[in-house]
Amino acid sequence: MGNPIYNKFNNLFIILFEVLMGLLAYYVLLFYDEDSKLFTLTSILIVFILINLLIGYYLELKDNIFMKLQEKLDMENNINNSIFNLQKAIIIVRDNRSMTKANDIFFHTFDFHNIEDFTNNHSCICELFIEKRGVQHLKSSMNGISWIDYIHKYPDKRHEVYMVDKYGKERSYSVDLRENVYHEKSMVVFTEITEIKNQAETFRKLFENSADGLLMLKNNQYLDVNPTLLKIVECSNKDVFLTLCPEILLPTYQPNGVLSIDLHENMLAECMKNGVSTRHRLQKKLSGETFWCDIAMTKITVESEDVIYVRWRDIDEYKELEFSLEDQVQKQSQALLARSRLAGIGEMMENITHQWKQPLSLILNLVRLLKLELPNSRELAIISDQTNYLDKTIADFKSFSFHSDKEKKVFSLEDSLEGTLNIFKFQAEKHKIEILLKIDNDAKIKGDIGIFNQAILVLLSNAKDALIENREENRIINIKTEESRENIYLIISDNGGGIPQNIIHKIFEPYFTTKFKDKGTGIGLSMTYTIIQEAKGKIEVTNDKNGAIFKIILPKIKDEKEI
Amino acid sequence: MHIKKILTVDDYPLAAYTVRKIIEAFSTHKCEIKDFDSPLELLSVFEEDPESIDMVVTDFEMPQLRGDELIKRLRELKPDIKIVVISAWLDSTSKDNQCLVEKEVKNLEPDLICSKPFPDNWIELLDEILGGKE
């Protein structure tokens, strides 16, 4: 064991020393006398032996120390190698010209046995770098200088390379350089970032190809925007968009009267506080057109900076549907309310007629009794007539039910018109309206006479309003019937000037009214429409030169047993 | 001529009174009529001598005893008693009452049904029923 150089030196030293001792002994043999010869030679021999022993011991000791140092060094070396090889990043050591060392992960990833295997085939790791389009990365030669010099020149830049591993899989690495670590040698560290790159790319793809409009907002300024959002706001240029401020894409006010910018700021504040904020709000395209948008803001913190990620979804269609549904529900509930009110009135009428019958009946009977005593009394005759008139009016009202009857009955059109006109008569007389009635058939209709009367009364009442409004002097309402084989036609016309063409198609819509609020609710004609429809009929409206013509078409009942 | 004995009831006393006066005044028969404002009172008078009574004119809706129950009891005592029912509900358009009452009254098969106000010829009709017995 031990260092051979040291061993050679030791041997030489011992030979020299022994030769010196031999010369000394020879000199003593030549020049010393007999007596002192023996003593001196003995002394020299003893000294020689002692010195030899000393040298031997010293050399032994020295060898031991050296061996221990050597072991320690080896161990350190092993540890260093292990650390070197255990690194997840690829580490290569280079001298001025080429790669001199690399860790196991390098050999393992790119399928080389060792450094010799690599250097036999390649002169530089940069031969493994691949080129990728559309991405900034290191190539073996960068603008005329070698990649390593390029890193050296721009140490603060983020350098990335792509390499293909032994399985053909593309891997990306970020590259760092440590120069002059040992005797002009430098170390290059390749840290794998394939996973991060993939995630970033996935995110980018999601961002770019999302069906929703997406944008990034930082300090209320646009950082990035995806093509869908550009399309939504009708902006053709991304760079132009990024210079806009969010207010430009908002109308001044939201439909509920809130300032859009206030709403936007509230949302931002809410998002910063809770992490998310969502609203349906009105946005504005660059063309100025507004539309409903479902906005979701999400706060994401990137490198300790808060970025707000905003998702836009154009919900104009749904919103329109929602509004029309809301509108419909509201109208329906109002119609229901109106109907229930009418039903209430109907019930009240019912009670009144019932309550009045008893006394009317009594009066009529008592008058009859009195007539026995005063057979020629004119006063009694008047009482009798007037009471009969009251009784008849009550009967008309009674038939004028506001209930919707589930049981349909057959009734004659003539009866219906008579009842209705009895009620309308008062109005007609008051407003000097002449009613021309021409019924020349005994047409029968199936349905509820009370409800049907109501439908007719609405038409008469509307005709009356038109006549009054039009200041027509000679006011006429014409009622006539016609028939075909299948149908009965009831035609009600007036000379009130007609319905303006621009609204004529709307008049049967619920709550459509041209009257002032105190005069009409807009429910009348729509109710007529519904009633006629429920009786399996149709109602049409046209104008002629005098006024409006309402034509009700009803299926004829041929045989009463048909019910 | 046999004197016709008639009992009439209406929970509205004036109504029963008027019915009595009208029949007395216009019937061609000689009648003896008693009016009640309670069907129970009428029943107790009827029970005393059912055979002597020719006809009962009754309202239908009465709080103490409904017309159907009254008629049932009367018929138990005298099966061929003439019954006239008067009701204000009969031609009512209130479907619930109308249908129910009309059906109920018709099921009772009275000899005459009158609705209020009385039809002009109701006394003649009543007379016919009374005469039929003779």
Side-chain angles (χ1 to χ4, degrees), chain A residues 131-180:
Chain A
E131 292 202 11
K132 241 173 105 83
R133 269 196 199 161
V135 194
Q136 283 234 319
H137 61 82
L138 272 182
K139 287 166 270 188
S140 51
S141 167
M142 302 290 293
N143 305 327
I145 56 174
S146 79
W147 65 281
I148 197 90
D149 291 337
Y150 185 80
I151 300 176
H152 173 77
K153 194 172 169 187
Y154 303 106
D156 295 330
K157 237 174 139 170
R158 185 192 287 255
H159 303 284
E160 286 174 18
V161 292
Y162 289 88
M163 293 187 271
V164 176
D165 71 4
K166 60 180 175 188
Y167 302 112
K169 195 184 141 196
E170 198 177 282
R171 291 168 182 262
S172 47
Y173 296 88
S174 89
V175 190
D176 295 291
L177 179 65
R178 301 268 187 283
E179 287 184 290
N180 295 324

Tab-separated table of all heavy atoms in Angstrom, chain A residues 131-180:
chain	number	residue	atom	x	y	z
A	131	GLU	N	-35.533	22.273	-33.174
A	131	GLU	CA	-36.156	23.571	-33.447
A	131	GLU	C	-37.663	23.430	-33.414
A	131	GLU	O	-38.212	22.426	-33.843
A	131	GLU	CB	-35.687	24.094	-34.805
A	131	GLU	CG	-34.221	24.466	-34.787
A	131	GLU	CD	-33.851	25.455	-35.887
A	131	GLU	OE1	-34.778	26.002	-36.511
A	131	GLU	OE2	-32.646	25.650	-36.111
A	132	LYS	N	-38.335	24.414	-32.873
A	132	LYS	CA	-39.794	24.393	-32.809
A	132	LYS	C	-40.305	25.722	-33.347
A	132	LYS	O	-39.825	26.782	-32.973
A	132	LYS	CB	-40.255	24.220	-31.353
A	132	LYS	CG	-41.058	22.953	-31.145
A	132	LYS	CD	-41.320	22.755	-29.682
A	132	LYS	CE	-42.758	23.087	-29.364
A	132	LYS	NZ	-43.684	21.997	-29.631
A	133	ARG	N	-41.316	25.601	-34.179
A	133	ARG	CA	-41.844	26.830	-34.788
A	133	ARG	C	-42.702	27.614	-33.817
A	133	ARG	O	-43.400	27.046	-32.982
A	133	ARG	CB	-42.709	26.454	-35.990
A	133	ARG	CG	-41.878	26.432	-37.233
A	133	ARG	CD	-42.763	26.444	-38.444
A	133	ARG	NE	-42.023	25.979	-39.589
A	133	ARG	CZ	-42.586	25.537	-40.691
A	133	ARG	NH1	-43.893	25.477	-40.770
A	133	ARG	NH2	-41.859	25.157	-41.714
A	134	GLY	N	-42.589	28.889	-33.951
A	134	GLY	CA	-43.497	29.748	-33.189
A	134	GLY	C	-43.151	29.861	-31.727
A	134	GLY	O	-43.899	30.409	-30.942
A	135	VAL	N	-42.044	29.274	-31.317
A	135	VAL	CA	-41.656	29.367	-29.919
A	135	VAL	C	-40.228	29.903	-29.845
A	135	VAL	O	-39.381	29.539	-30.658
A	135	VAL	CB	-41.692	27.971	-29.231
A	135	VAL	CG1	-41.634	28.118	-27.734
A	135	VAL	CG2	-42.910	27.191	-29.659
A	136	GLN	N	-39.984	30.753	-28.884
A	136	GLN	CA	-38.629	31.273	-28.707
A	136	GLN	C	-37.835	30.265	-27.892
A	136	GLN	O	-38.242	29.869	-26.805
A	136	GLN	CB	-38.710	32.603	-27.946
A	136	GLN	CG	-39.162	33.754	-28.813
A	136	GLN	CD	-38.176	34.896	-28.728
A	136	GLN	OE1	-37.689	35.202	-27.647
A	136	GLN	NE2	-37.867	35.516	-29.850
A	137	HIS	N	-36.702	29.823	-28.427
A	137	HIS	CA	-35.870	28.889	-27.664
A	137	HIS	C	-34.437	28.949	-28.168
A	137	HIS	O	-34.128	29.556	-29.195
A	137	HIS	CB	-36.435	27.478	-27.766
A	137	HIS	CG	-36.487	26.957	-29.183
A	137	HIS	ND1	-35.391	26.409	-29.802
A	137	HIS	CD2	-37.499	26.924	-30.079
A	137	HIS	CE1	-35.725	26.058	-31.040
A	137	HIS	NE2	-37.009	26.368	-31.225
A	138	LEU	N	-33.546	28.256	-27.432
A	138	LEU	CA	-32.116	28.243	-27.787
A	138	LEU	C	-31.879	27.280	-28.936
A	138	LEU	O	-32.438	26.189	-28.963
A	138	LEU	CB	-31.298	27.755	-26.602
A	138	LEU	CG	-30.828	28.763	-25.559
A	138	LEU	CD1	-29.991	28.014	-24.530
A	138	LEU	CD2	-30.031	29.887	-26.192
A	139	LYS	N	-31.024	27.739	-29.879
A	139	LYS	CA	-30.569	26.834	-30.937
A	139	LYS	C	-29.054	26.721	-30.783
A	139	LYS	O	-28.454	27.476	-30.009
A	139	LYS	CB	-30.940	27.413	-32.308
A	139	LYS	CG	-32.440	27.298	-32.583
A	139	LYS	CD	-32.899	28.147	-33.741
A	139	LYS	CE	-33.286	29.510	-33.224
A	139	LYS	NZ	-33.930	30.381	-34.189
A	140	SER	N	-28.434	25.774	-31.512
A	140	SER	CA	-26.979	25.587	-31.315
A	140	SER	C	-26.209	26.852	-31.648
A	140	SER	O	-25.210	27.182	-31.022
A	140	SER	CB	-26.484	24.407	-32.152
A	140	SER	OG	-26.925	24.570	-33.482
A	141	SER	N	-26.770	27.584	-32.616
A	141	SER	CA	-26.127	28.855	-32.930
A	141	SER	C	-27.174	29.956	-32.848
A	141	SER	O	-28.250	29.848	-33.438
A	141	SER	CB	-25.530	28.786	-34.342
A	141	SER	OG	-25.169	30.087	-34.755
A	142	MET	N	-26.873	30.974	-32.049
A	142	MET	CA	-27.820	32.069	-31.873
A	142	MET	C	-27.229	33.342	-32.470
A	142	MET	O	-26.256	33.874	-31.943
A	142	MET	CB	-28.108	32.313	-30.377
A	142	MET	CG	-28.659	31.115	-29.633
A	142	MET	SD	-30.353	30.697	-30.112
A	142	MET	CE	-31.258	32.095	-29.501
A	143	ASN	N	-27.843	33.807	-33.555
A	143	ASN	CA	-27.377	35.034	-34.221
A	143	ASN	C	-25.859	35.042	-34.429
A	143	ASN	O	-25.180	36.031	-34.156
A	143	ASN	CB	-27.766	36.281	-33.422
A	143	ASN	CG	-29.259	36.323	-33.150
A	143	ASN	OD1	-30.054	35.858	-33.966
A	143	ASN	ND2	-29.609	36.841	-31.995
A	144	GLY	N	-25.350	33.895	-34.851
A	144	GLY	CA	-23.930	33.835	-35.167
A	144	GLY	C	-23.027	33.472	-34.013
A	144	GLY	O	-21.853	33.190	-34.209
A	145	ILE	N	-23.532	33.485	-32.790
A	145	ILE	CA	-22.671	33.048	-31.681
A	145	ILE	C	-23.200	31.744	-31.125
A	145	ILE	O	-24.381	31.421	-31.285
A	145	ILE	CB	-22.564	34.123	-30.553
A	145	ILE	CG1	-23.968	34.499	-30.047
A	145	ILE	CG2	-21.810	35.334	-31.051
A	145	ILE	CD1	-23.938	35.427	-28.859
A	146	SER	N	-22.309	30.992	-30.465
A	146	SER	CA	-22.734	29.677	-29.976
A	146	SER	C	-23.704	29.860	-28.819
A	146	SER	O	-23.754	30.896	-28.174
A	146	SER	CB	-21.525	28.871	-29.518
A	146	SER	OG	-21.145	29.310	-28.237
A	147	TRP	N	-24.497	28.823	-28.607
A	147	TRP	CA	-25.542	28.914	-27.579
A	147	TRP	C	-24.966	29.246	-26.222
A	147	TRP	O	-25.538	30.006	-25.466
A	147	TRP	CB	-26.363	27.615	-27.542
A	147	TRP	CG	-25.570	26.381	-27.119
A	147	TRP	CD1	-24.732	25.658	-27.899
A	147	TRP	CD2	-25.558	25.806	-25.822
A	147	TRP	NE1	-24.171	24.630	-27.189
A	147	TRP	CE2	-24.680	24.695	-25.905
A	147	TRP	CE3	-26.187	26.097	-24.625
A	147	TRP	CZ2	-24.417	23.878	-24.796
A	147	TRP	CZ3	-25.939	25.269	-23.535
A	147	TRP	CH2	-25.051	24.170	-23.623
A	148	ILE	N	-23.773	28.660	-25.932
A	148	ILE	CA	-23.193	28.848	-24.601
A	148	ILE	C	-22.735	30.295	-24.423
A	148	ILE	O	-22.920	30.896	-23.374
A	148	ILE	CB	-22.065	27.805	-24.354
A	148	ILE	CG1	-21.753	27.704	-22.856
A	148	ILE	CG2	-20.818	28.081	-25.156
A	148	ILE	CD1	-22.591	26.676	-22.153
A	149	ASP	N	-22.210	30.847	-25.536
A	149	ASP	CA	-21.794	32.253	-25.480
A	149	ASP	C	-23.003	33.171	-25.363
A	149	ASP	O	-22.951	34.231	-24.735
A	149	ASP	CB	-20.993	32.622	-26.735
A	149	ASP	CG	-19.637	31.917	-26.749
A	149	ASP	OD1	-19.182	31.539	-25.633
A	149	ASP	OD2	-19.081	31.726	-27.846
A	150	TYR	N	-24.088	32.716	-26.005
A	150	TYR	CA	-25.326	33.501	-25.971
A	150	TYR	C	-25.859	33.591	-24.532
A	150	TYR	O	-26.223	34.659	-24.040
A	150	TYR	CB	-26.368	32.853	-26.882
A	150	TYR	CG	-27.645	33.639	-27.023
A	150	TYR	CD1	-27.715	34.739	-27.905
A	150	TYR	CD2	-28.779	33.304	-26.283
A	150	TYR	CE1	-28.882	35.457	-28.032
A	150	TYR	CE2	-29.952	34.022	-26.408
A	150	TYR	CZ	-30.000	35.103	-27.286
A	150	TYR	OH	-31.157	35.814	-27.409
A	151	ILE	N	-25.825	32.439	-23.845
A	151	ILE	CA	-26.273	32.447	-22.435
A	151	ILE	C	-25.350	33.342	-21.620
A	151	ILE	O	-25.788	34.122	-20.775
A	151	ILE	CB	-26.295	31.019	-21.840
A	151	ILE	CG1	-27.245	30.118	-22.639
A	151	ILE	CG2	-26.713	31.044	-20.380
A	151	ILE	CD1	-27.260	28.664	-22.190
A	152	HIS	N	-24.076	33.227	-21.929
A	152	HIS	CA	-23.079	34.018	-21.225
A	152	HIS	C	-23.328	35.521	-21.436
A	152	HIS	O	-23.204	36.328	-20.528
A	152	HIS	CB	-21.684	33.629	-21.746
A	152	HIS	CG	-20.594	34.497	-21.206
A	152	HIS	ND1	-20.123	34.341	-19.915
A	152	HIS	CD2	-19.896	35.517	-21.764
A	152	HIS	CE1	-19.192	35.254	-19.706
A	152	HIS	NE2	-19.026	35.984	-20.813
A	153	LYS	N	-23.744	35.829	-22.649
A	153	LYS	CA	-23.961	37.228	-23.005
A	153	LYS	C	-25.243	37.767	-22.352
A	153	LYS	O	-25.307	38.935	-21.966
A	153	LYS	CB	-24.067	37.330	-24.536
A	153	LYS	CG	-23.952	38.742	-25.065
A	153	LYS	CD	-23.867	38.703	-26.584
A	153	LYS	CE	-24.010	40.091	-27.167
A	153	LYS	NZ	-24.088	40.031	-28.630
A	154	TYR	N	-26.245	36.911	-22.285
A	154	TYR	CA	-27.521	37.361	-21.687
A	154	TYR	C	-27.863	36.502	-20.473
A	154	TYR	O	-28.735	35.635	-20.517
A	154	TYR	CB	-28.659	37.257	-22.704
A	154	TYR	CG	-28.413	38.035	-23.978
A	154	TYR	CD1	-28.077	37.395	-25.165
A	154	TYR	CD2	-28.544	39.440	-23.981
A	154	TYR	CE1	-27.853	38.103	-26.327
A	154	TYR	CE2	-28.316	40.152	-25.151
A	154	TYR	CZ	-27.972	39.485	-26.325
A	154	TYR	OH	-27.755	40.192	-27.465
A	155	PRO	N	-27.145	36.716	-19.383
A	155	PRO	CA	-27.350	35.824	-18.227
A	155	PRO	C	-28.722	36.005	-17.561
A	155	PRO	O	-29.227	35.092	-16.908
A	155	PRO	CB	-26.220	36.209	-17.273
A	155	PRO	CG	-25.844	37.602	-17.663
A	155	PRO	CD	-26.158	37.772	-19.126
A	156	ASP	N	-29.346	37.168	-17.739
A	156	ASP	CA	-30.615	37.413	-17.045
A	156	ASP	C	-31.838	36.959	-17.836
A	156	ASP	O	-32.941	36.966	-17.334
A	156	ASP	CB	-30.750	38.903	-16.723
A	156	ASP	CG	-29.666	39.319	-15.741
A	156	ASP	OD1	-29.265	38.438	-14.929
A	156	ASP	OD2	-29.214	40.472	-15.796
A	157	LYS	N	-31.570	36.585	-19.082
A	157	LYS	CA	-32.685	36.131	-19.912
A	157	LYS	C	-33.075	34.704	-19.524
A	157	LYS	O	-32.259	33.953	-18.987
A	157	LYS	CB	-32.248	36.148	-21.388
A	157	LYS	CG	-33.137	37.013	-22.263
A	157	LYS	CD	-32.562	37.086	-23.643
A	157	LYS	CE	-33.655	36.990	-24.668
A	157	LYS	NZ	-33.166	37.297	-26.006
A	158	ARG	N	-34.364	34.381	-19.790
A	158	ARG	CA	-34.801	33.011	-19.535
A	158	ARG	C	-34.526	32.199	-20.803
A	158	ARG	O	-35.017	32.520	-21.880
A	158	ARG	CB	-36.295	33.013	-19.234
A	158	ARG	CG	-36.850	31.665	-18.842
A	158	ARG	CD	-38.351	31.736	-18.874
A	158	ARG	NE	-38.852	32.511	-17.747
A	158	ARG	CZ	-39.436	31.964	-16.681
A	158	ARG	NH1	-39.617	30.666	-16.626
A	158	ARG	NH2	-39.870	32.700	-15.686
A	159	HIS	N	-33.662	31.193	-20.674
A	159	HIS	CA	-33.298	30.401	-21.852
A	159	HIS	C	-33.970	29.050	-21.797
A	159	HIS	O	-33.991	28.398	-20.765
A	159	HIS	CB	-31.774	30.226	-21.913
A	159	HIS	CG	-31.038	31.531	-21.937
A	159	HIS	ND1	-30.964	32.325	-23.046
A	159	HIS	CD2	-30.378	32.201	-20.946
A	159	HIS	CE1	-30.278	33.419	-22.762
A	159	HIS	NE2	-29.918	33.377	-21.487
A	160	GLU	N	-34.518	28.652	-22.930
A	160	GLU	CA	-35.209	27.365	-22.983
A	160	GLU	C	-34.739	26.574	-24.194
A	160	GLU	O	-34.425	27.159	-25.238
A	160	GLU	CB	-36.721	27.582	-23.101
A	160	GLU	CG	-37.345	28.047	-21.794
A	160	GLU	CD	-38.805	28.392	-21.937
A	160	GLU	OE1	-39.417	27.964	-22.940
A	160	GLU	OE2	-39.320	29.087	-21.050
A	161	VAL	N	-34.691	25.250	-24.043
A	161	VAL	CA	-34.381	24.400	-25.193
A	161	VAL	C	-35.360	23.236	-25.249
A	161	VAL	O	-35.986	22.901	-24.253
A	161	VAL	CB	-32.951	23.794	-25.136
A	161	VAL	CG1	-31.911	24.861	-25.293
A	161	VAL	CG2	-32.749	22.971	-23.878
A	162	TYR	N	-35.483	22.672	-26.432
A	162	TYR	CA	-36.295	21.463	-26.613
A	162	TYR	C	-35.371	20.346	-27.053
A	162	TYR	O	-34.498	20.542	-27.895
A	162	TYR	CB	-37.359	21.686	-27.689
A	162	TYR	CG	-38.456	22.621	-27.243
A	162	TYR	CD1	-38.330	23.994	-27.409
A	162	TYR	CD2	-39.610	22.111	-26.650
A	162	TYR	CE1	-39.330	24.856	-26.981
A	162	TYR	CE2	-40.611	22.962	-26.221
A	162	TYR	CZ	-40.477	24.337	-26.392
A	162	TYR	OH	-41.453	25.171	-25.967
A	163	MET	N	-35.541	19.166	-26.444
A	163	MET	CA	-34.776	17.996	-26.883
A	163	MET	C	-35.725	16.798	-26.923
A	163	MET	O	-36.749	16.793	-26.243
A	163	MET	CB	-33.631	17.717	-25.905
A	163	MET	CG	-32.565	18.805	-25.905
A	163	MET	SD	-31.125	18.368	-24.913
A	163	MET	CE	-31.593	18.967	-23.312
A	164	VAL	N	-35.336	15.815	-27.754
A	164	VAL	CA	-36.179	14.624	-27.855
A	164	VAL	C	-35.499	13.490	-27.118
A	164	VAL	O	-34.322	13.205	-27.351
A	164	VAL	CB	-36.409	14.243	-29.338
A	164	VAL	CG1	-37.208	12.952	-29.441
A	164	VAL	CG2	-37.121	15.359	-30.055
A	165	ASP	N	-36.212	12.861	-26.206
A	165	ASP	CA	-35.591	11.810	-25.393
A	165	ASP	C	-35.552	10.484	-26.153
A	165	ASP	O	-35.939	10.415	-27.319
A	165	ASP	CB	-36.311	11.681	-24.042
A	165	ASP	CG	-37.697	11.061	-24.169
A	165	ASP	OD1	-38.062	10.656	-25.298
A	165	ASP	OD2	-38.415	11.007	-23.155
A	166	LYS	N	-35.055	9.432	-25.483
A	166	LYS	CA	-34.852	8.163	-26.181
A	166	LYS	C	-36.159	7.538	-26.640
A	166	LYS	O	-36.186	6.686	-27.516
A	166	LYS	CB	-34.082	7.183	-25.285
A	166	LYS	CG	-34.794	6.862	-23.984
A	166	LYS	CD	-33.953	5.894	-23.155
A	166	LYS	CE	-34.606	5.677	-21.793
A	166	LYS	NZ	-33.756	4.902	-20.889
A	167	TYR	N	-37.277	7.948	-26.028
A	167	TYR	CA	-38.573	7.414	-26.462
A	167	TYR	C	-39.202	8.271	-27.564
A	167	TYR	O	-40.316	8.045	-27.988
A	167	TYR	CB	-39.552	7.361	-25.284
A	167	TYR	CG	-39.041	6.527	-24.137
A	167	TYR	CD1	-38.692	7.126	-22.934
A	167	TYR	CD2	-38.894	5.133	-24.273
A	167	TYR	CE1	-38.216	6.365	-21.876
A	167	TYR	CE2	-38.413	4.374	-23.225
A	167	TYR	CZ	-38.070	4.984	-22.025
A	167	TYR	OH	-37.597	4.244	-21.002
A	168	GLY	N	-38.519	9.318	-27.974
A	168	GLY	CA	-39.057	10.191	-29.019
A	168	GLY	C	-39.932	11.287	-28.444
A	168	GLY	O	-40.581	12.032	-29.178
A	169	LYS	N	-39.989	11.374	-27.123
A	169	LYS	CA	-40.839	12.389	-26.501
A	169	LYS	C	-40.093	13.718	-26.415
A	169	LYS	O	-38.919	13.772	-26.060
A	169	LYS	CB	-41.228	11.922	-25.097
A	169	LYS	CG	-42.390	12.711	-24.523
A	169	LYS	CD	-42.665	12.260	-23.098
A	169	LYS	CE	-43.003	13.481	-22.271
A	169	LYS	NZ	-42.923	13.223	-20.845
A	170	GLU	N	-40.841	14.740	-26.751
A	170	GLU	CA	-40.244	16.074	-26.742
A	170	GLU	C	-40.223	16.599	-25.306
A	170	GLU	O	-41.217	16.527	-24.600
A	170	GLU	CB	-41.134	16.956	-27.608
A	170	GLU	CG	-40.482	18.219	-28.056
A	170	GLU	CD	-41.434	18.962	-28.971
A	170	GLU	OE1	-41.545	18.582	-30.142
A	170	GLU	OE2	-42.086	19.895	-28.489
A	171	ARG	N	-39.083	17.078	-24.907
A	171	ARG	CA	-38.987	17.626	-23.555
A	171	ARG	C	-38.437	19.033	-23.628
A	171	ARG	O	-37.627	19.354	-24.486
A	171	ARG	CB	-38.043	16.776	-22.677
A	171	ARG	CG	-38.612	15.412	-22.345
A	171	ARG	CD	-37.537	14.539	-21.733
A	171	ARG	NE	-38.032	13.202	-21.447
A	171	ARG	CZ	-38.447	12.815	-20.234
A	171	ARG	NH1	-38.402	13.648	-19.208
A	171	ARG	NH2	-38.870	11.584	-20.051
A	172	SER	N	-38.907	19.858	-22.717
A	172	SER	CA	-38.371	21.222	-22.709
A	172	SER	C	-37.636	21.492	-21.401
A	172	SER	O	-37.996	20.960	-20.362
A	172	SER	CB	-39.492	22.223	-22.950
A	172	SER	OG	-40.590	21.928	-22.134
A	173	TYR	N	-36.595	22.281	-21.532
A	173	TYR	CA	-35.734	22.551	-20.379
A	173	TYR	C	-35.438	24.035	-20.298
A	173	TYR	O	-35.336	24.711	-21.316
A	173	TYR	CB	-34.399	21.817	-20.525
A	173	TYR	CG	-34.527	20.317	-20.530
A	173	TYR	CD1	-34.744	19.624	-21.724
A	173	TYR	CD2	-34.417	19.589	-19.339
A	173	TYR	CE1	-34.869	18.245	-21.732
A	173	TYR	CE2	-34.540	18.211	-19.347
A	173	TYR	CZ	-34.761	17.529	-20.540
A	173	TYR	OH	-34.888	16.177	-20.539
A	174	SER	N	-35.302	24.489	-19.080
A	174	SER	CA	-34.755	25.841	-18.943
A	174	SER	C	-33.265	25.681	-18.637
A	174	SER	O	-32.858	24.743	-17.962
A	174	SER	CB	-35.488	26.609	-17.847
A	174	SER	OG	-34.885	26.397	-16.608
A	175	VAL	N	-32.473	26.558	-19.181
A	175	VAL	CA	-31.013	26.365	-19.143
A	175	VAL	C	-30.344	27.439	-18.291
A	175	VAL	O	-30.633	28.627	-18.449
A	175	VAL	CB	-30.427	26.414	-20.568
A	175	VAL	CG1	-28.960	25.978	-20.564
A	175	VAL	CG2	-31.232	25.537	-21.509
A	176	ASP	N	-29.490	26.998	-17.358
A	176	ASP	CA	-28.705	27.941	-16.548
A	176	ASP	C	-27.220	27.594	-16.645
A	176	ASP	O	-26.857	26.430	-16.749
A	176	ASP	CB	-29.137	27.856	-15.083
A	176	ASP	CG	-30.555	28.322	-14.912
A	176	ASP	OD1	-30.800	29.521	-15.074
A	176	ASP	OD2	-31.434	27.459	-14.650
A	177	LEU	N	-26.397	28.627	-16.607
A	177	LEU	CA	-24.949	28.436	-16.769
A	177	LEU	C	-24.219	28.864	-15.492
A	177	LEU	O	-24.524	29.906	-14.920
A	177	LEU	CB	-24.483	29.293	-17.961
A	177	LEU	CG	-23.005	29.293	-18.312
A	177	LEU	CD1	-22.550	27.912	-18.771
A	177	LEU	CD2	-22.733	30.343	-19.380
A	178	ARG	N	-23.303	27.977	-15.019
A	178	ARG	CA	-22.404	28.362	-13.894
A	178	ARG	C	-20.989	28.302	-14.454
A	178	ARG	O	-20.515	27.224	-14.805
A	178	ARG	CB	-22.520	27.362	-12.747
A	178	ARG	CG	-23.892	27.239	-12.175
A	178	ARG	CD	-24.087	28.214	-10.998
A	178	ARG	NE	-25.356	27.952	-10.374
A	178	ARG	CZ	-26.511	28.355	-10.893
A	178	ARG	NH1	-26.530	29.024	-12.021
A	178	ARG	NH2	-27.637	28.085	-10.279
A	179	GLU	N	-20.357	29.461	-14.530
A	179	GLU	CA	-19.052	29.475	-15.200
A	179	GLU	C	-17.899	29.339	-14.203
A	179	GLU	O	-18.006	29.723	-13.040
A	179	GLU	CB	-18.908	30.770	-15.993
A	179	GLU	CG	-19.798	30.734	-17.233
A	179	GLU	CD	-19.621	31.956	-18.096
A	179	GLU	OE1	-20.063	33.030	-17.636
A	179	GLU	OE2	-19.052	31.814	-19.173
A	180	ASN	N	-16.762	28.812	-14.732
A	180	ASN	CA	-15.524	28.707	-13.968
A	180	ASN	C	-15.701	28.067	-12.605
A	180	ASN	O	-15.230	28.556	-11.596
A	180	ASN	CB	-14.902	30.104	-13.773
A	180	ASN	CG	-14.492	30.668	-15.119
A	180	ASN	OD1	-14.043	29.923	-15.997
A	180	ASN	ND2	-14.678	31.957	-15.263
